[in-house]
Structure formats: structure tokens, C-alpha cells
Amino acid sequence: MLPLRFLHAADLHLDSPFKGMATLPEPIRERVREATFDALRALVTLAERERVDFVVVSGDVYDLSDRSLRAQIRFQRALERLAAAHIPVYVIHGNHDPEDGRAAQLNWPQAVHFFASDRVETVAVEKPGRGVIAHVHGISYKTAAVHDNLALRFRGADPGVCQIALLHTNVDGDPAHGNYAPCTRRDLLDRGIDYWALGHVHTRQVLCDQPAIVYPGNIQGRSVRETGPRGCYIVEIDETGRADLQFHALDAVRWYQETLSVQGLGTEQQLKDALLGRLEQVREQADGRSAVVRIVLEGRSAVGRLLRRGRALEELTAELREGEADRSRFVWLESIDDRSRSELDWEALQQEASFLGDLLRLSGHLQQDDEALRAFAAEALAALDSLPSVAGRPHAAGDEQLREWLRAAEELAADLLAGEGGKDA
């Protein structure tokens, strides 16, 4: 087997709408919107610098089947750059950019191959002076919802040539992603494939070393659920078929969720200083990139009670954002999630013969009984669904969100009642 080097990327999601970013200042919103395109340019630059033999893209180039013309033209431009560098590109369509989605009529470089959806295609990669260095196998999604086990259709062609398979799939039923083209690790083994170039799961992971079964993750995080470095793998295959993987970050804007203990903090100034310190830590960790940060406050402290008064938390957030829109590399505070607890003696309060004691005992019961919590929430939140000013769909909240709302209500009730003596007269 001839040694080779290639770039494996997936889930580009070009021109992603970045939900929840509508309230950003215009300069930051535009830079966040451009982030997927910046990551694509970084991908092309990396492929050129590393002089890879070829690039594989394992689905979801675009964010929607009704893909934007801007995204398609940007992708075309990127592939033209790679073609000019004599780097062929092999692409499959996934559930976000299926073959039957609306696509512009564009001319693509001859060095680009989009795999069909009706069968597994095999393309020989041939290099001058080296001959055929790899067989690349792939199959695209015809529609957005593919539930067949496509992995079973693959079979390596020649054990003397490196066999690479492109598949957009959910291996072993990852609950965080749609169960499209589901398969198991066992399905991918012993099929004569040296490297499974997977897409669909946005968190990079290596499921197996030999043969290599690899998710590179997406190239650009798009929300606080996609934190940390995002990018692609440069893969080197040696004479034995073993893969050596080197991750390269491509993201232009990095997402963080940071936990900050408020233990021992008693004033707004102390909390402000602690938050500023954490934001500066993120700025240093972002490797010269812009960042979007959610900070979760935890621990017991008197400062939590101060924040739950009026609009204190909202005003503090606004102050910490001041000036970031003018920076070349911003660190934007997406939100402060207050999960801190007061310094009250909760066990003692729960034992009280008082309105507050009754309230906390009821809350404790609901925290332990999901069915009872759902029934209680359905009644309590029903009136909100008819109010146009209420964001989101409160009645559709999951159990974890309901428990968090209940915990916040406990804190607020304790703040309001404990200091006034919540005992019955």
C-alpha cells in the first residue's frame, strides 16, 4: 500500500443562521455569520500548506436543503482554489444538504466529485508518478431523511490500495443527533475499509483505530452546545494501512461554557471582578480567535440574593459586554446563568411549619417525581402560551429545564419570604 496524506472534514454548515444571535450588535452579528466561511477558507489554506493528496467532505456542506446561493458560490470558490493547487475533492450529501435539495446550476472543477445517492460509488485517486494511491467510496443522501443502513452497502475493492469510505451516519444511535443512516461499529468492521470518513456527529471522536473510524466534528461551532475547538483532521496512512490523525482547529469564533463559583463572594463588585477575570481567561485561551461565552454561576453565596433583585443580572451582563463590539477579537458574554444558591439553611426551612416550608416541601417532591413535575408545570405554564410576549414554547420544555425553573423559583421564594419570616401567624 502506498503512503498518502489527505484532509477529512464534515458538517461545514455554510451560512448557518446561528439561532439566538438576533440581539447581537451588528458588527459582532456579521462576524459570527461569516464564521463558517472563514473556517472554510482556513480549511483550504491548511490543505494547500500541508500539500495533501486530496480532501474528503463527509456531508452537510450546507445548513439547509434550501441552500443559499451565497453558500454555494463560496463553496465553489473554495474548490476552485483547491483544484488550482491540484488537490481533488470528494463530497457526499447529508441530511442537511440532500441531493434533492434546491441547488444552483454552477460549474464545478473537474477535480471535484459529488457521490451519487442510488449506489455506493468508487473513485480511484491517481497521482502522477505514483499511480493509484487510494479508492474513495461514497454515497449521498437522496432526501433529508435516510433511515436505511447504508454502511452495509460498502465493500473495499483492493487490499493493496488504501480504501477510504465516506458515510454520513449515526453510529450506535448517538441520542444528540438525528438517527439517520443508522449503523453500528460492528457494521463498519471487516468490510475491507482502511479509513471510515464519517460525518453527522458534530463532536470529533475516533471510534476505532484499526480500521480508523472517525468523526472530525464540524468546522465551526454554532451555539453554546458546540463548545471548544472545531476543525478537521489531516490523516496520514502508512504502508500498513494504519492512520495517524492530526487535528487542526479551523473555527473563527469559539464557543465556551464556563462555570464560576460564587463561594465567598458578598458584593456586586467582587462578582464583577470575578466575571471579568474569567472573560480574560477565555480571551487568552481562544488562540487569537473571537469567542462567545456563557458563564454559569454555582455555589452558595450572599451575592446570589443581590442578583435576583430587579434587573441586576441583566444590567451586569450589559456592562460586561461594553466595548466588545469594537474589538478586532471580541469575547462576547452570551449570558450569565445563575444557578447559585443562597446561604440560607435549607434543611431547617423545609422543616418549618410555615408557608415557605410547605412550598419547599412541595418543590422537593416535584424535583424527585418527573411525572408530577410535568403535570404541575402544564397547569402553571398554560396561561403563558397565549401571551405573544413570551419567548419560546414554555409548554414544550423538557424535564431538565423544568427542574431548573423550579430550582430558580425556590431561590426567589426563599429570598422573598425567609427574610420577612415566612412562618404562619
Coordinates of all heavy atoms in Angstrom, one line a residue, residues 56-102:
V56 N -11.6 15.0 1.6 CA -12.9 14.4 1.6 C -13.8 15.2 2.5 O -13.4 15.7 3.6 CB -12.8 12.9 2.1 CG1 -12.0 12.1 1.1 CG2 -12.3 12.8 3.5
V57 N -15.0 15.4 2.1 CA -16.0 16.1 2.9 C -17.2 15.2 3.1 O -17.9 14.9 2.1 CB -16.5 17.4 2.2 CG1 -17.5 18.2 3.1 CG2 -15.3 18.3 1.9
S58 N -17.5 14.8 4.3 CA -18.5 13.8 4.6 C -19.9 14.3 5.0 O -20.5 13.9 6.0 CB -17.9 12.9 5.8 OG -16.7 12.3 5.4
G59 N -20.4 15.2 4.1 CA -21.8 15.6 4.2 C -22.1 16.9 4.9 O -21.2 17.4 5.7
D60 N -23.3 17.4 4.7 CA -23.7 18.6 5.3 C -22.8 19.8 5.0 O -22.4 20.5 5.9 CB -24.0 18.5 6.8 CG -25.2 17.7 7.1 OD1 -25.9 17.3 6.2 OD2 -25.5 17.5 8.3
V61 N -22.5 20.0 3.7 CA -21.8 21.2 3.3 C -22.6 22.4 3.6 O -22.0 23.4 4.1 CB -21.4 21.1 1.8 CG1 -20.8 22.4 1.3 CG2 -20.5 19.9 1.5
Y62 N -23.9 22.3 3.4 CA -24.7 23.5 3.6 C -25.6 23.2 4.9 O -25.7 22.1 5.4 CB -25.6 23.7 2.4 CG -24.8 23.8 1.1 CD1 -24.8 22.8 0.2 CD2 -24.0 24.9 0.9 CE1 -24.1 22.8 -1.0 CE2 -23.2 25.0 -0.3 CZ -23.3 23.9 -1.2 OH -22.5 24.0 -2.3
D63 N -26.3 24.2 5.3 CA -27.1 24.1 6.5 C -28.5 23.6 6.3 O -29.1 23.1 7.1 CB -27.1 25.4 7.3 CG -27.6 25.2 8.7 OD1 -27.0 24.5 9.5 OD2 -28.7 25.8 9.0
L64 N -29.0 23.9 5.1 CA -30.4 23.6 4.8 C -30.4 23.0 3.3 O -29.6 23.4 2.5 CB -31.3 24.8 4.8 CG -31.4 25.5 6.2 CD1 -32.1 26.8 6.1 CD2 -32.2 24.6 7.2
S65 N -31.4 22.2 3.1 CA -31.6 21.7 1.7 C -31.9 22.8 0.8 O -31.6 22.8 -0.4 CB -32.7 20.6 1.7 OG -33.9 21.1 2.1
D66 N -32.6 23.8 1.3 CA -32.8 25.1 0.5 C -31.6 26.0 0.7 O -31.7 27.0 1.3 CB -34.1 25.8 1.0 CG -34.5 27.0 0.1 OD1 -33.9 27.1 -1.0 OD2 -35.3 27.8 0.6
R67 N -30.5 25.5 0.2 CA -29.2 26.2 0.5 C -29.1 27.5 -0.2 O -29.6 27.8 -1.3 CB -28.1 25.2 0.0 CG -28.2 24.9 -1.5 CD -27.5 23.6 -1.9 NE -28.3 22.4 -1.4 CZ -28.1 21.2 -1.9 NH1 -27.1 21.0 -2.7 NH2 -28.8 20.2 -1.5
S68 N -28.4 28.5 0.5 CA -28.3 29.8 0.0 C -27.4 29.8 -1.2 O -26.4 29.1 -1.3 CB -27.8 30.8 1.0 OG -26.4 30.6 1.3
L69 N -27.6 30.7 -2.2 CA -26.7 30.9 -3.3 C -25.4 31.4 -2.9 O -24.3 30.9 -3.4 CB -27.4 31.9 -4.3 CG -26.5 32.2 -5.6 CD1 -26.3 30.9 -6.4 CD2 -27.2 33.2 -6.4
R70 N -25.4 32.2 -1.9 CA -24.1 32.7 -1.3 C -23.2 31.5 -0.9 O -22.0 31.5 -1.2 CB -24.3 33.7 -0.2 CG -23.0 34.2 0.4 CD -23.3 35.4 1.4 NE -23.6 34.9 2.7 CZ -23.3 35.6 3.8 NH1 -22.6 36.7 3.7 NH2 -23.6 35.1 5.0
A71 N -23.8 30.6 -0.1 CA -23.0 29.5 0.4 C -22.5 28.6 -0.8 O -21.4 28.1 -0.7 CB -23.9 28.6 1.3
Q72 N -23.3 28.4 -1.8 CA -22.9 27.6 -2.9 C -21.7 28.2 -3.7 O -20.8 27.5 -4.1 CB -24.1 27.3 -3.8 CG -25.1 26.4 -3.2 CD -26.4 26.3 -4.0 OE1 -26.4 25.5 -5.0 NE2 -27.4 27.0 -3.7
I73 N -21.8 29.5 -3.9 CA -20.8 30.2 -4.6 C -19.5 30.2 -3.8 O -18.4 30.1 -4.3 CB -21.2 31.7 -5.0 CG1 -22.3 31.6 -6.0 CG2 -20.0 32.5 -5.4 CD1 -22.9 32.9 -6.4
R74 N -19.6 30.4 -2.4 CA -18.4 30.4 -1.6 C -17.7 29.0 -1.7 O -16.5 28.9 -1.7 CB -18.7 30.7 -0.2 CG -19.3 32.1 0.0 CD -18.2 33.2 0.0 NE -18.7 34.5 0.3 CZ -18.7 35.0 1.5 NH1 -18.1 34.4 2.5 NH2 -19.2 36.2 1.8
F75 N -18.6 27.9 -1.6 CA -18.0 26.6 -1.7 C -17.4 26.3 -3.1 O -16.3 25.8 -3.2 CB -19.1 25.6 -1.5 CG -18.6 24.2 -1.3 CD1 -17.6 23.9 -0.3 CD2 -19.1 23.1 -2.0 CE1 -17.1 22.6 -0.1 CE2 -18.7 21.8 -1.8 CZ -17.7 21.5 -0.9
Q76 N -18.0 26.8 -4.1 CA -17.4 26.7 -5.5 C -16.1 27.4 -5.5 O -15.1 26.8 -6.0 CB -18.4 27.3 -6.5 CG -17.8 27.3 -7.9 CD -18.6 28.2 -8.8 OE1 -18.9 29.4 -8.5 NE2 -19.0 27.7 -10.0
R77 N -16.0 28.6 -4.9 CA -14.7 29.3 -4.9 C -13.6 28.6 -4.2 O -12.5 28.5 -4.6 CB -14.9 30.7 -4.3 CG -13.8 31.7 -4.4 CD -14.1 33.0 -3.8 NE -15.4 33.6 -4.3 CZ -16.1 34.5 -3.7 NH1 -15.8 34.9 -2.5 NH2 -17.2 34.9 -4.3
A78 N -14.0 28.0 -3.1 CA -13.0 27.2 -2.3 C -12.5 26.0 -3.1 O -11.3 25.7 -3.1 CB -13.7 26.7 -1.0
L79 N -13.4 25.3 -3.8 CA -13.0 24.1 -4.5 C -12.2 24.5 -5.8 O -11.3 23.8 -6.2 CB -14.2 23.3 -5.0 CG -15.1 22.8 -3.8 CD1 -16.1 21.7 -4.4 CD2 -14.2 22.1 -2.7
E80 N -12.4 25.7 -6.3 CA -11.6 26.2 -7.4 C -10.2 26.5 -6.9 O -9.2 26.2 -7.6 CB -12.2 27.5 -8.0 CG -13.5 27.2 -8.8 CD -14.2 28.5 -9.2 OE1 -13.9 29.5 -8.6 OE2 -15.1 28.4 -10.1
R81 N -10.0 27.0 -5.7 CA -8.7 27.2 -5.1 C -7.9 25.8 -5.0 O -6.8 25.7 -5.3 CB -8.8 27.9 -3.8 CG -8.7 29.4 -3.8 CD -8.6 29.9 -2.4 NE -7.4 29.5 -1.6 CZ -7.2 29.8 -0.4 NH1 -8.1 30.4 0.3 NH2 -6.1 29.3 0.2
L82 N -8.7 24.8 -4.5 CA -8.1 23.5 -4.3 C -7.7 22.9 -5.6 O -6.6 22.3 -5.8 CB -9.0 22.6 -3.5 CG -9.2 23.0 -2.0 CD1 -10.3 22.2 -1.4 CD2 -7.9 22.8 -1.2
A83 N -8.5 23.0 -6.6 CA -8.3 22.5 -7.9 C -7.0 23.1 -8.5 O -6.2 22.5 -9.2 CB -9.5 22.7 -8.9
A84 N -6.9 24.4 -8.3 CA -5.7 25.2 -8.8 C -4.4 24.6 -8.2 O -3.3 24.7 -8.7 CB -5.8 26.7 -8.6
A85 N -4.5 24.1 -7.0 CA -3.4 23.5 -6.2 C -3.3 22.0 -6.5 O -2.5 21.4 -5.9 CB -3.6 23.8 -4.7
H86 N -4.0 21.5 -7.5 CA -4.0 20.1 -7.9 C -4.4 19.2 -6.7 O -3.8 18.1 -6.5 CB -2.6 19.7 -8.4 CG -2.1 20.6 -9.5 ND1 -2.7 20.6 -10.7 CD2 -1.1 21.6 -9.5 CE1 -2.1 21.5 -11.5 NE2 -1.1 22.1 -10.8
I87 N -5.4 19.7 -5.9 CA -5.9 18.9 -4.8 C -7.4 18.5 -5.1 O -8.3 19.3 -5.1 CB -5.9 19.7 -3.5 CG1 -4.4 20.0 -3.2 CG2 -6.5 18.8 -2.4 CD1 -4.3 21.0 -2.0
P88 N -7.7 17.2 -5.5 CA -9.0 16.8 -5.8 C -9.9 16.8 -4.5 O -9.3 16.6 -3.4 CB -8.9 15.4 -6.4 CG -7.6 15.0 -6.0 CD -6.7 16.2 -5.8
V89 N -11.2 16.9 -4.7 CA -12.1 16.9 -3.5 C -13.2 15.9 -3.8 O -13.8 15.9 -4.9 CB -12.7 18.3 -3.3 CG1 -13.6 18.3 -2.0 CG2 -11.6 19.3 -3.1
Y90 N -13.6 15.1 -2.7 CA -14.6 14.1 -2.8 C -15.7 14.4 -1.8 O -15.4 14.6 -0.6 CB -14.0 12.7 -2.7 CG -12.9 12.5 -3.6 CD1 -11.6 12.7 -3.3 CD2 -13.2 12.1 -4.9 CE1 -10.6 12.5 -4.2 CE2 -12.2 11.9 -5.9 CZ -10.9 12.1 -5.5 OH -9.8 11.9 -6.4
V91 N -17.0 14.6 -2.2 CA -18.0 15.1 -1.4 C -19.2 14.2 -1.4 O -19.6 13.8 -2.5 CB -18.4 16.5 -1.9 CG1 -19.4 17.1 -0.9 CG2 -17.2 17.4 -2.0
I92 N -19.8 14.0 -0.2 CA -21.2 13.4 -0.2 C -22.2 14.4 0.4 O -21.8 15.3 1.1 CB -21.2 12.1 0.7 CG1 -20.7 12.4 2.1 CG2 -20.3 11.0 0.0 CD1 -20.9 11.1 3.0
H93 N -23.4 14.2 0.1 CA -24.5 15.0 0.6 C -25.1 14.3 1.9 O -25.2 13.0 1.9 CB -25.7 15.1 -0.4 CG -25.3 15.9 -1.6 ND1 -25.1 17.2 -1.7 CD2 -25.0 15.4 -2.9 CE1 -24.8 17.6 -2.9 NE2 -24.7 16.5 -3.7
G94 N -25.4 15.1 2.9 CA -26.0 14.5 4.1 C -27.4 14.9 4.3 O -28.1 15.4 3.3
N95 N -27.9 14.9 5.5 CA -29.4 15.2 5.8 C -29.7 16.6 5.6 O -30.8 17.0 5.4 CB -29.8 14.6 7.1 CG -29.0 15.2 8.3 OD1 -27.8 14.9 8.4 ND2 -29.6 16.0 9.1
H96 N -28.7 17.5 5.8 CA -28.9 19.0 5.7 C -28.7 19.5 4.3 O -29.1 20.6 4.0 CB -28.0 19.7 6.6 CG -28.5 19.8 8.0 ND1 -29.4 20.8 8.5 CD2 -28.3 19.0 9.1 CE1 -29.7 20.6 9.7 NE2 -29.0 19.5 10.1
D97 N -28.1 18.7 3.4 CA -27.9 19.1 2.0 C -28.2 18.0 1.1 O -27.3 17.6 0.2 CB -26.5 19.7 1.8 CG -25.4 18.7 2.0 OD1 -25.7 17.7 2.7 OD2 -24.3 19.0 1.6
P98 N -29.4 17.3 1.2 CA -29.6 16.1 0.4 C -29.6 16.4 -1.1 O -29.7 17.6 -1.6 CB -31.0 15.7 0.8 CG -31.6 16.9 1.3 CD -30.5 17.7 1.9
E99 N -29.5 15.4 -1.9 CA -29.4 15.5 -3.4 C -30.6 16.2 -4.0 O -30.5 16.9 -5.0 CB -29.1 14.1 -4.0 CG -28.6 14.1 -5.4 CD -28.4 12.7 -5.9 OE1 -29.3 11.9 -6.0 OE2 -27.2 12.4 -6.2
D100 N -31.8 16.0 -3.4 CA -33.0 16.5 -3.9 C -33.3 18.0 -3.4 O -34.3 18.5 -3.7 CB -34.2 15.6 -3.7 CG -34.6 15.6 -2.2 OD1 -33.8 16.1 -1.4 OD2 -35.6 14.9 -1.9
G101 N -32.3 18.5 -2.7 CA -32.5 19.9 -2.2 C -32.3 20.9 -3.4 O -31.8 20.5 -4.4
R102 N -32.7 22.1 -3.2 CA -32.7 23.1 -4.2 C -31.2 23.6 -4.4 O -30.6 24.1 -3.5 CB -33.5 24.3 -3.9 CG -33.7 25.3 -5.1 CD -34.7 26.3 -4.8 NE -34.3 27.3 -3.9 CZ -35.1 28.3 -3.4 NH1 -36.4 28.4 -3.9 NH2 -34.7 29.2 -2.5

